[in-house]
């Protein structure tokens, strides 16, 4: 087998995307794959809604406790 290292980046166009592999020749043996790795990259700097909610509640709690101390 003459394995060739191949790397390709792609962007999914929906929440579920099908990735298919096909042979380029008609040898009768089909396609031979080894060590296929699909990674999910997250967008840096974009907070999750749950994290943002927790941050807002924490800041509101700090503001409330501070105003209570000053009275």
């Amino acid at each position: 087998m003459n394995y060739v290292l191949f790397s390709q980046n792609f962007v999914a166009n929906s929440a579920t995307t099908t990735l298919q592999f096909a042979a380029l020749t008609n040898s009768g043996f089909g396609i031979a794959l080894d060590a296929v790795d699909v990674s999910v990259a997250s967008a840096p700097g974009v907070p999750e809604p749950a994290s943002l909610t927790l941050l807002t509640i924490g800041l509101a709690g700090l503001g409330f406790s501070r105003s209570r101390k000053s009275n």
Side-chain angles (χ1 to χ4, degrees):
M1 303 292 281
N2 292 326
Y3 285 106
V4 176
L5 181 61
F6 179 76
S7 175
Q8 180 69 39
N9 293 327
F10 70 94
V11 177
N13 58 5
S14 68
T16 58
T17 299
T18 302
L19 181 62
Q20 294 180 338
F21 299 95
L24 297 176
T25 62
N26 205 8
S27 66
F29 292 109
I31 188 168
L33 294 175
D34 186 24
V36 175
D37 180 28
V38 178
S39 301
V40 177
S42 60
V46 178
E48 297 176 4
S51 301
L52 190 57
T53 302
L54 287 174
L55 176 65
T56 304
I57 291 170
L59 290 175
L62 284 173
F64 178 73
S65 67
R66 193 161 212 203
S67 68
R68 212 162 172 210
K69 276 186 181 179
S70 65
N71 288 337

